[in-house]
Amino acid sequence: MKFSSIAIIAAVVSVASAASRVIEATDKTFDDIVYKSGKDSLVDFYASWCGHCKKLAPIYDELADVYKNTKDVQIVKIECDQNSATCKQFGIKGFPTLKFFKNGQDEPIDYNDGRDVESFTKFIGKNSDAYVYIPKVKSNIVQVSDLDFDKTLIESGKNVFVVFTADWCGHCKSLHPTWEQLAELYKDEDNVIIAEVSTSDAPSDEITKRYGITGFPTILTFEANSKNHIPFASSRSLEGLVSWVNQYSGLHRSTDGGLLPSAGRKSDVDSKISELFKAAPQQANELATNILSGLSHSTDRSAEYYKKLLNKVINGEEAFFNKEYKRISKILESTKSLPKEKSDYLQERLNILKVFNK
């Protein structure tokens, strides 16, 4: 069976139209669709050649899906090159231009907010009685405002890393997925909070004035138990952000969620241990005893492991180091489903063993 090219094109157009819930208006149908429908209408005035319009199209389709089951709101578009009379009527001079037509009102409301589904739904929610529920994406970012900034962040006793953002800010949108990654990496750390002040969504005049926030995104750091802020001075890449958080929190997290080789290590002790392994056996025992004495008042888990290994040196049990290193390495390599706390604990031990495993 043969099909004409016209029939094929018609079929493709039909499928494409069915895939989108956006209502396409023309000069002839605009009044019926918008003014006589009895619904509120968000209308996208676009041009087929416009790059920004093409970029908006999939987002606009997604928005139409959000409102597919509502009776009071419809998502509409009209192509201005083919329907110049309507576009001229509303003074359309650039593309895309979006206007909200409230049912029963002649004059539309100009839309000047962000071009994402969340911004569109917030705008429609403010100007319509229709309500739609959009599930919130799970996030480890702590959202704060004037109402809880001090109590949640400054008085937390933790190291705080907070970004000030605005909905209209393109750089903020670019940073957001990286900031989410950062929050995910440090979600289980007891001494770190990754936070955000969304100035477009919550009261923030007091804190933006307090810290002189004049541009977005602005990142501030507050070390634990300090009210003084430290301006961000690194790259906004995940690597730069992780390095910054590590620097001010004393952590050793890597960008893949694991630990850096420095985790658990004590650099001042490591240098002394290096000298220990260069010394003669009798002198080595004396040096190990001195290092052990210097750690007597340290009770953190790294110090306790250093003490255990130093006692092995004193007792002539150096063979333990290589055996233990292989044992822990095997556990970490073969058991990928270890709880994060357990994995970190073993990795810290492995890092310390590298100092002794000469």
Side-chain angles (χ1 to χ4, degrees):
M1 183 181 293
K2 294 183 179 180
F3 295 92
S4 69
S5 58
I6 294 176
I8 293 173
I9 292 171
V12 171
V13 170
S14 176
V15 171
S17 299
S20 174
R21 297 181 186 274
V22 179
I23 300 170
E24 184 87 40
T26 65
D27 282 342
K28 292 182 179 179
T29 62
F30 188 88
D31 284 355
D32 286 337
I33 290 173
V34 175
Y35 284 112
K36 298 179 182 179
S37 65
K39 299 181 179 182
D40 296 334
S41 304
L42 181 66
V43 180
D44 172 21
F45 295 85
Y46 75 100
S48 57
W49 48 262
C50 164
H52 291 298
C53 301
K54 292 175 182 177
K55 186 176 180 181
L56 175 63
I59 300 171
Y60 210 60
D61 286 341
E62 185 180 347
L63 181 69
D65 283 338
V66 169
Y67 286 92
K68 66 183 178 182
N69 294 321
T70 61
K71 298 179 180 180
D72 302 320
V73 173
Q74 58 186 0
I75 308 303
V76 181
K77 63 181 179 180
I78 181 168
E79 206 283 327
C80 286
D81 283 349
Q82 300 296 320
N83 303 281
S84 57
T86 301
C87 296
K88 184 177 180 181
Q89 176 186 346
F90 293 104
I92 308 302
K93 296 180 180 179
F95 308 104
T97 293
L98 292 110
K99 293 180 180 289
F100 187 74
F101 293 77
K102 179 77 174 173
N103 181 38
Q105 297 180 9
D106 292 334
E107 293 299 319
I109 303 168
D110 292 336
Y111 179 84
N112 296 307
D113 294 335
R115 292 175 184 171
D116 56 84
V117 172
E118 185 176 1
S119 297
F120 285 133
T121 55
K122 285 181 181 178
F123 175 86
I124 293 172
K126 291 177 182 177
N127 294 283
S128 173
D129 296 328
Y131 172 80
V132 293
Y133 171 70
I134 302 177
K136 289 289 184 181
V137 176
K138 181 182 177 182
S139 174
N140 294 297
I141 299 172
V142 178
Q143 297 289 340
V144 290
S145 67
D146 282 347
L147 304 177
D148 56 359
F149 187 92
D150 288 344
K151 184 175 182 180
T152 303
L153 303 186
I154 305 303
E155 298 171 14
S156 68
K158 301 181 180 182
N159 298 289
V160 172
F161 304 86
V162 56
V163 61
F164 290 77
T165 64
D167 280 354
W168 49 262
C169 164
H171 291 300
C172 300
K173 290 181 173 66
S174 297
L175 175 63
H176 183 76
T178 309
W179 201 252
E180 287 281 9
Q181 286 180 277
L182 189 71
E184 174 69 20
L185 286 174
Y186 292 94
K187 66 179 181 180
D188 296 322
E189 302 292 351
D190 293 334
N191 69 334
V192 169
I193 296 178
I194 306 299
E196 178 182 14
V197 176
S198 179
T199 60
S200 302
D201 299 329
S204 57
D205 290 346
E206 192 277 324
I207 45 179
T208 54
K209 182 178 180 181
R210 182 199 303 177
Y211 297 114
I213 307 299
T214 56
F216 305 99
T218 293
I219 300 171
L220 298 182
T221 298
F222 297 84
E223 291 185 281
N225 302 309
S226 173
K227 293 183 179 181
N228 298 323
H229 65 281
I230 303 167
F232 183 70
S234 184
S235 163
R236 289 179 190 159
S237 65
L238 183 60
E239 292 77 10
L241 290 166
V242 167
S243 177
W244 183 265
V245 173
N246 284 341
Q247 178 183 344
Y248 285 96
S249 64
L251 297 172
H252 301 266
R253 190 63 58 192
S254 61
T255 56
D256 63 1
L259 291 178
L260 296 172
S262 56
R265 299 269 291 270
K266 296 180 180 292
S267 57
D268 57 332
V269 177
D270 290 351
S271 61
K272 294 176 183 178
I273 292 172
S274 295
E275 293 301 318
L276 182 155
F277 283 104
K278 295 176 184 178
Q282 185 175 353
Q283 187 182 4
N285 275 5
E286 184 179 341
L287 287 172
T289 302
N290 289 337
I291 298 170
L292 194 60
S293 177
L295 287 168
S296 61
H297 296 296
S298 300
T299 58
D300 60 89
R301 72 184 185 188
S302 290
E304 292 301 319
Y305 198 56
Y306 271 100
K307 292 174 188 177
K308 176 180 179 178
L309 299 183
L310 285 165
N311 275 311
K312 295 291 184 183
V313 173
I314 294 170
N315 296 326
E317 300 176 53
E318 284 90 345
F320 169 83
F321 304 141
N322 186 46
K323 183 179 180 181
E324 184 70 353
Y325 186 88
K326 289 180 178 178
R327 185 185 73 84
I328 295 177
S329 296
K330 186 176 181 179
I331 294 173
L332 289 172
E333 289 171 4
S334 62
T335 312
K336 302 299 182 183
S337 59
L338 279 175
K340 192 174 185 61
E341 185 177 353
K342 180 66 173 179
S343 176
D344 286 352
Y345 172 70
L346 291 175
Q347 186 61 57
E348 287 179 4
R349 288 197 160 200
L350 202 64
N351 290 345
I352 297 169
L353 275 166
K354 288 179 182 178
V355 184
F356 288 84
N357 197 21
K358 302 296 182 181

